[in-house]
Amino acid sequence: MFSILGRTRRPMERFIRGTGLSGPQARTIGYIEANEERGITARELAETFGTTPASVSSLISGLERGGYIERTPDPDDARSKLLRVLPKGRGLTRGYDEQMDEFKERMVAPLSAADRATLVRLLTTIDDHLGRLENEEKNA
């Protein structure tokens, strides 16, 4: 599994290198851009990416200094800031999802439809199990 995970990172890294950003920066901009209509906060980024608020704060500050994103007051919560992608950051990750979809298709090309369904079922079982373990650790 780790070998496959390593191989899946290479196309992502090639794409990201072309943006001039680091992987975390590109993922952050892409996530904000895809979800900013509903309002994205630093707290949500930390939870989504499974990292600490301090790490996200540092990442956001760097993107802000670079002119890729900005923080704006949340109209519903004066204590909170919403993140918005600025023109310089817009579209940098466009095409990434399509490239990854193509890569996923090439990756499973040797599998029959039945084998693909089995693979999805097994990976979903593992993912669900890991999610339950994670929740148990949080609640312990």
Side-chain angles (χ1 to χ4, degrees):
M1 279 202 316
F2 292 112
S3 173
I4 291 169
L5 288 173
R7 291 175 194 269
T8 62
R9 292 186 88 154
R10 290 185 193 108
M12 175 188 70
E13 289 168 355
R14 276 193 302 274
F15 180 88
I16 290 171
R17 238 179 283 132
T19 67
L21 300 166
S22 71
Q25 288 173 321
R27 280 190 296 281
T28 300
I29 290 171
Y31 185 83
I32 294 168
E33 188 171 13
N35 297 283
E36 71 184 335
E37 284 186 25
R38 64 179 175 76
I40 300 298
T41 63
R43 178 183 302 261
E44 179 182 339
L45 286 177
E47 290 171 2
T48 298
F49 295 135
T51 189
T52 65
S55 294
V56 166
S57 179
S58 174
L59 181 64
I60 290 169
S61 293
L63 290 171
E64 221 174 6
R65 279 191 305 277
Y68 294 101
I69 66 168
E70 70 177 351
R71 298 177 223 216
T72 61
D74 183 341
D76 299 325
D77 182 355
R79 298 167 297 155
S80 189
K81 300 278 187 193
L82 298 178
L83 304 171
R84 190 172 78 81
V85 177
L86 294 171
K88 181 178 178 180
R90 289 224 176 268
L92 283 178
T93 59
R94 194 168 293 128
Y96 174 78
D97 290 336
E98 293 83 6
Q99 283 192 10
M100 291 313 296
D101 287 345
E102 288 174 21
F103 177 75
K104 286 185 258 183
E105 276 303 310
R106 287 195 319 266
M107 185 171 61
V108 297
L111 300 178
S112 69
D115 286 344
R116 287 181 188 201
T118 299
L119 177 63
V120 168
R121 182 180 54 76
L122 293 172
L123 291 174
T124 300
T125 300
I126 292 169
D127 189 44
D128 291 346
H129 173 68
L130 291 174
R132 283 190 300 276
L133 291 177
E134 205 172 69
N135 286 335
E136 288 173 9
E137 288 173 2
K138 283 180 188 176
N139 295 328

